[in-house]
Amino acid sequence: MSVQNTNFKYVSYLWDDAEAAKLAGDEVGLLIYRSNLLGADLRLTNYGGGNTSCKVTAKDPLTGSDTEVMWVKGSGGDLGTLKKSGLAALYVDRLRSLTSVYRGIKHEDEMVELFNHCIFDLSSKAPSIDTPLHGFLPFKHIDHLHPDAAIAIAAAKDGKKITAELFKGTIGWVEWQRPGFDLGLKLKACLDENPGIRGIMLGSHGLFTWGDTAYESYINTLEVIEQCAAYLEANYSKKGPIFGGAKLESSAEDARKKQAVTLAPVLRGFCSEKTRMIGHFTDDARVLEFINSHDLDRLAPMGTSCPDHFLRTKISPLVLELAADEDLTDTNAIKATLLPAFEAYRDLYKSYYDSCKHANSPAIRDANPVVILYPGVGMFTFAKDKQTARVAAEFYINAINVMKGAEAISEYTSLPRQEAFNIEYWLLEEAKLQRMPKPKVLSGRIALVTGSAGGIGKAIAKKLADEGACVVINDNDESRLNSAKDEFSKNYGKDVFTGVLLDVTNKGIIDNAFAAAVLAFGGVDIVVNCAGLSISKPMEEHTEKDWDLLYDVLVKGQFMVTQAGVEIMRKQDTGGDVLNIVSKNAVVSGPNNAGYGSAKAAQLHLSRLNAAEFGKDHIRVNVVNPDAVIADSKIWEGDWAAGRAKAYGISIAELPSFYAKRTLLNEIILPEDIANACLAFVGGLLNKSTGNVLNVDGGVAAAFVR
C-alpha cells in the first residue's frame, strides 16, 4: 500500500512527524495519537463511534515470557479524546482461543463475558463488543471507522459491486451482521479468502483498514476514505438533482431562527412526555438541502443504516407538516395541529416494538421522536442532555450524507426493521444503559439566572450546573460576562452553558436572552431573578433617578424576566420554577434605605402575586431572602458599602463582622449559601411548595416572616 500521499481533498491529513517522533517505540502512545487524529475529523467518524487497536509484544506478568497483547478502544468513549485509560488490553492468544468454546451465533452474546478472562492489564477499560473484530485480524494496527463516504457505498443497493469495481478487489466485503464475536470470524474469513486486501467494507455499517505501523494504518485509512469520497463527488447529480431537487425554498436565516425559537418549547413539551428533554437546533446547509427536497418523504421514513446512527437518532425522524412561514403565535392551535403527528409517531414506534420484540426483550423505551425535521426551517433533536441531543443531530447529518451518497451512485437501503430492533433492544446494549450513572437531580432542566457573571448569581448558576442543569449565564457587563464564560467553559464545557448579554430593564434584550436559551437548549424550566443593585442614601439625598433605577432593575426587571420565562414554560406545559432573590430588607426597616427597601418589598409581594397566578400551570414561585452577602458582589464595589457603613457608624472593613455579629448564628453569609437555598426549592424535595420565603441571613429576628 502507498504511504506517500499526504495531499487529500476530502479528509484532513493531521499527522505531525515531530509529534509522532516523540512517541517512537511506544506503540500504544502512537495508537492514542492516531486515534485522536482520526476522531478530530468528523468526516472520518462520529462522536463515540468507531474503534482502533494495536498489537504489541509485552512481558507476561505471570510467566515472564513474551506474549502478544492487543490494546483496543474499550466500551464507550470517543476516539477524539481517547486516553490510555479508555483502552482495553487483552492477551491475543486467549482471545483467539475462545473460538474453541464458541457455540454458534445464537449464543454469541455469552462470549462477551469471556472477554474478561482475556484481560492483560487489570486496570484497563472493559472490552467492547467489537474486540474480536480486531483480535481475529493479524495486523499490528487496525482502524474501524464510520465515515459517511464509505457508509454511503456500504448502504447502497449495489454496494458490494461498487466496492469491488472501485477498489479493484483490494477492499473486501462482509454483508451486514450485528457486531459481535461472529462478525469477527466473518472478517477473518474474508481476509483468508482475499489475501493482500487493504481493508474490508461492512455492509450498511462501516470500514476496517489496517497497517503494519500506526502511520501506515492512518495513511491507509485516509486513502480509502478519500477514494470513496471522490467517487461520490464525481457521481453527484449524474442521475439528476440531489435528493430529487428542491421542493421548497428555505426561509431567510432570521426567519428560520424566529420560527425555531417559537416552536422549540412546544416540541420540547411533547418530547418530554415521559422524561424531561434538552433540545438542540440546527439549520445546517446539509440539513436544509435534505428537508427541502422532493425525496424527503421517501427517504426519511426509511431510517438510518449504520447502527451508530439509529442508536442515537431512533429508527426514523418525525417530519412536521407545517409551512416554513406558518403562523406559530397561537400556541394552543399549534399544539392541536401537532398532537396527532406525535400520537401517530408514538403509535408507529410502539408498533415497531411490538412486531419485532423477542420474549426476553427489554421493556419499550420512550416512544417520542429524537429527531424532528421542519422543512424550510431546520432540524430539532431532543435527548436527556445537551451533549446527547447535539450528537444526535451530528449523527443524523451523517445519515443525510450517507443517503445523499448512496442515492447518487445507486439506491439507498436502510436496515430491515428487525435488524434495527435487534440492535436497539440488544440485551448487551440494555445492560450498558443500566450501568450508566443515575441522572443528577436537575438533569434535563434549563435555568436562566439573571446577573450570573458574578456574586450570588454565579454561585447559583454553578450550583445548578453541578446538579445537572443547563444554565444561561448573563450580565450587562460584557467584560464580566466574558470572564464568567471562560470560567464556565473550563469547568463545564460547551454543552452545559451558554452566555448572553442581558439588561433586565430592556424587554427586547430580555427576549433575545430567552431566544438564546431556546436555541441552545430548547426552552427554560427555572428562572432565577438575581440581577440587582443597591443605593443607600438618606431620604433628602435620594434622587428621582436613583428611585427609577432601583425600581426599573429590581421590580420591573423581575416582572419582565418572569413574564418572558413563564411564556416559554406554558408552551412546554411541564411546569417550572421562578426563584426571586430578594432581601432581608423586604421585611425589615433600616436607615437610609427608602428606595432599595421598598423596591425589595415590591419584589417580595410580586412574587406572592405570581405564585397565586401561576399555580394552575404548575409553575412554582418562591423567594430567597439573603442578607449582607459581600463576597464577589458587584453591589459592594460601589457606594453601597460606604452608605451602609455610614448608616451604622462603622468602617467599610468592619461590615462583614458587623453583619455576622448581629445574627442569631453569628455567621457570615456567602453566595454559596444562597445557591444551596435555591437548590432546596428546585431540587425535587419541595415540588409542592410555592409562595414561600426562605431566609438565608444567619438569623435576623426582625426578618422572621409572620
Side-chain angles (χ1 to χ4, degrees):
M1 68 184 70
S2 168
V3 295
Q4 302 302 314
N5 179 33
T6 59
N7 296 313
F8 297 96
K9 180 179 179 181
Y10 303 103
V11 297
S12 299
Y13 178 85
L14 302 174
W15 191 277
D16 186 318
D17 288 335
E19 287 299 315
K22 297 175 185 177
L23 300 167
D26 179 4
E27 293 303 304
V28 177
L30 287 166
L31 164 64
I32 296 168
Y33 177 65
R34 180 177 92 247
S35 302
N36 294 162
L37 299 186
L38 295 172
D41 187 347
L42 290 179
R43 292 171 295 183
L44 303 182
T45 198
N46 21 50
Y47 179 85
N51 34 71
T52 51
S53 69
C54 74
K55 299 181 183 73
V56 300
T57 299
K59 292 290 183 184
D60 189 328
L62 300 178
T63 67
S65 302
D66 287 344
T67 188
E68 190 174 25
V69 176
M70 180 176 72
W71 291 81
V72 60
K73 193 190 99 170
S75 181
D78 172 56
L79 287 178
T81 56
L82 184 67
K83 296 179 174 60
K84 190 172 183 178
S85 59
L87 296 171
L90 302 95
Y91 290 95
V92 174
D93 57 351
R94 292 187 189 182
L95 181 64
R96 291 174 179 168
S97 71
L98 294 180
T99 55
S100 63
V101 297
Y102 178 49
R103 298 196 296 152
I105 194 167
K106 291 183 178 180
H107 307 280
E108 72 167 343
D109 285 3
E110 69 187 19
M111 305 305 291
V112 175
E113 196 168 319
L114 295 180
F115 295 166
N116 295 325
H117 294 277
C118 306
I119 293 176
F120 172 83
D121 184 340
L122 299 180
S123 65
S124 65
K125 189 82 169 176
S128 78
I129 194 66
D130 283 331
T131 298
L133 281 66
H134 292 260
F136 294 157
L137 295 175
F139 308 103
K140 295 296 183 183
H141 290 265
I142 299 174
D143 298 326
H144 169 39
L145 304 178
H146 302 127
D148 297 344
I151 300 177
I153 296 172
K157 181 179 179 181
D158 306 309
K160 183 176 181 179
K161 178 183 176 184
I162 292 169
T163 299
E165 293 175 351
L166 176 61
F167 292 99
K168 298 179 172 55
T170 62
I171 296 289
W173 177 275
V174 171
E175 294 291 350
W176 159 259
Q177 185 170 311
R178 190 178 71 178
F181 196 87
D182 206 82
L183 184 56
L185 296 176
K186 294 287 196 306
L187 288 176
K188 177 64 165 59
C190 178
L191 178 65
D192 291 344
E193 294 165 8
N194 301 276
I197 56 176
R198 63 189 298 189
I200 297 173
M201 192 80 77
L202 303 181
S204 296
H205 183 166
L207 178 69
F208 262 81
T209 42
W210 48 72
D212 292 329
T213 67
Y215 182 74
E216 286 186 13
S217 188
Y218 179 71
I219 284 290
N220 186 31
T221 297
L222 295 191
E223 288 182 345
V224 171
I225 298 170
E226 176 83 359
Q227 194 167 346
C228 292
Y231 177 72
L232 298 182
E233 186 69 30
N235 282 276
Y236 287 137
S237 302
K238 276 190 176 180
K239 291 170 54 180
I242 293 170
F243 292 135
K247 182 178 180 180
L248 55 89
E249 294 296 321
S250 295
S251 301
E253 183 178 0
D254 287 349
R256 296 197 301 268
K257 294 291 195 296
K258 183 179 179 181
Q259 291 293 82
V261 167
T262 306
L263 189 62
V266 176
L267 299 178
R268 181 174 180 242
F270 280 120
C271 290
S272 298
E273 174 203 34
K274 184 175 180 180
T275 303
R276 201 183 297 262
M277 297 293 184
I278 300 294
H280 178 79
F281 173 76
T282 178
D283 53 358
D284 182 282
R286 294 165 293 182
V287 172
L288 294 174
E289 181 180 53
F290 178 62
I291 64 176
N292 295 347
S293 73
H294 284 283
D295 287 344
L296 172 67
D297 293 339
R298 174 175 64 86
L299 292 173
M302 292 176 67
T304 57
S305 59
C306 177
D308 273 51
H309 294 177
F310 68 74
L311 276 174
R312 292 165 172 84
T313 64
K314 270 205 169 71
I315 193 66
S316 59
L318 169 62
V319 180
L320 301 180
E321 295 184 4
L322 294 174
D325 60 353
E326 189 93 19
D327 183 358
L328 303 177
T329 54
D330 187 337
T331 299
N332 290 331
I334 290 300
K335 286 182 178 180
T337 298
L338 292 178
L339 179 59
F342 274 86
E343 290 177 336
Y345 187 96
R346 293 163 186 161
D347 289 343
L348 183 69
Y349 187 82
K350 290 171 185 174
S351 175
Y352 153 72
Y353 176 86
D354 290 337
S355 63
C356 296
K357 68 180 179 180
H358 306 289
N360 61 347
S361 291
I364 189 171
R365 303 189 189 113
D366 194 337
N368 286 292
V370 171
V371 178
I372 300 175
L373 305 178
Y374 185 175
V377 175
M379 173 171 67
F380 304 87
T381 48
F382 292 93
K384 63 177 182 175
D385 54 45
K386 174 64 178 183
Q387 183 190 61
T388 307
R390 175 179 57 78
V391 169
E394 292 174 2
F395 271 87
Y396 199 76
I397 291 175
N398 292 136
I400 290 171
N401 294 338
V402 168
M403 288 185 272
K404 178 179 177 178
E407 286 286 300
I409 59 175
S410 177
E411 294 176 35
Y412 171 70
T413 60
S414 59
L415 280 183
R417 285 296 193 257
Q418 187 64 58
E419 289 295 326
F421 180 90
N422 292 346
I423 288 282
E424 186 176 356
Y425 283 89
W426 195 358
L427 291 178
L428 293 177
E429 188 67 30
E430 175 68 13
K432 185 190 297 185
L433 294 175
Q434 294 300 324
R435 289 194 301 268
M436 294 183 70
K438 290 184 178 180
K440 295 182 178 181
V441 295
L442 296 182
S443 291
R445 305 281 288 279
I446 304 159
L448 185 147
V449 184
T450 67
S452 42
I456 293 173
K458 185 164 73 171
I460 295 170
K462 284 182 175 180
K463 174 61 69 174
L464 302 184
D466 288 340
E467 296 299 331
C470 294
V471 296
V472 183
I473 62 171
N474 54 82
D475 203 276
N476 64 350
D477 182 330
E478 187 169 10
S479 63
R480 188 172 165 92
L481 176 61
N482 288 337
S483 177
K485 286 164 65 175
D486 289 342
E487 181 180 349
F488 273 72
S489 181
K490 179 181 178 181
N491 293 337
Y492 299 104
K494 64 181 180 179
D495 291 319
V496 172
F497 85 100
T498 191
V500 292
L501 282 169
L502 175 58
D503 176 354
V504 299
T505 68
N506 185 309
K507 186 180 186 305
I509 296 175
I510 291 170
D511 290 342
N512 288 341
F514 277 102
V518 171
L519 285 176
F521 304 120
V524 70
D525 306 293
I526 301 168
V527 170
V528 184
N529 286 296
C530 187
L533 80 160
S534 301
I535 298 173
S536 173
K537 292 180 180 180
M539 190 74 166
E540 64 273 15
E541 296 178 15
H542 223 301
T543 66
E544 183 180 354
K545 182 179 179 182
D546 294 334
W547 182 273
D548 288 344
L549 180 60
L550 284 166
Y551 273 77
D552 280 351
V553 172
L554 299 177
V555 186
K556 183 180 176 183
Q558 177 178 305
F559 170 78
M560 291 196 300
V561 169
T562 300
Q563 186 181 54
V566 167
E567 181 183 359
I568 294 171
M569 293 178 193
R570 283 173 168 163
K571 285 183 177 183
Q572 296 166 164
D573 199 21
T574 55
D577 284 281
V578 177
L579 289 176
N580 296 322
I581 311 304
V582 185
S583 171
K584 170 267 297 180
N585 290 285
V587 292
V588 176
S589 300
N592 303 350
N593 207 19
Y596 180 76
S598 61
K600 285 296 177 181
Q603 281 188 283
L604 177 59
H605 195 53
L606 177 59
S607 302
R608 297 190 186 102
L609 295 168
N610 289 161
E613 183 177 348
F614 304 153
K616 66 182 184 298
D617 303 301
H618 213 72
I619 297 171
R620 298 172 292 273
V621 184
N622 291 291
V623 170
V624 176
N625 275 348
D627 184 40
V629 182
I630 298 174
D632 194 31
S633 172
K634 195 173 183 180
I635 289 173
W636 294 89
E637 294 174 2
D639 295 333
W640 173 260
R644 301 323 291 155
K646 180 180 179 181
Y648 296 121
I650 60 177
S651 69
I652 294 176
E654 293 174 301
L655 276 174
S657 61
F658 172 82
Y659 282 123
K661 287 176 182 177
R662 74 180 185 181
T663 70
L664 299 174
L665 300 178
N666 194 21
E667 293 280 1
I668 294 174
I669 310 303
L670 300 173
E672 292 74 21
D673 299 319
I674 314 306
N676 288 334
C678 291
L679 181 62
F681 274 126
V682 302
L685 297 179
L686 296 177
N687 283 345
K688 297 180 181 178
S689 296
T690 191
N692 288 314
V693 178
L694 179 57
N695 291 338
V696 185
D697 56 13
V700 177
F704 290 174
V705 179
R706 58 196 181 276

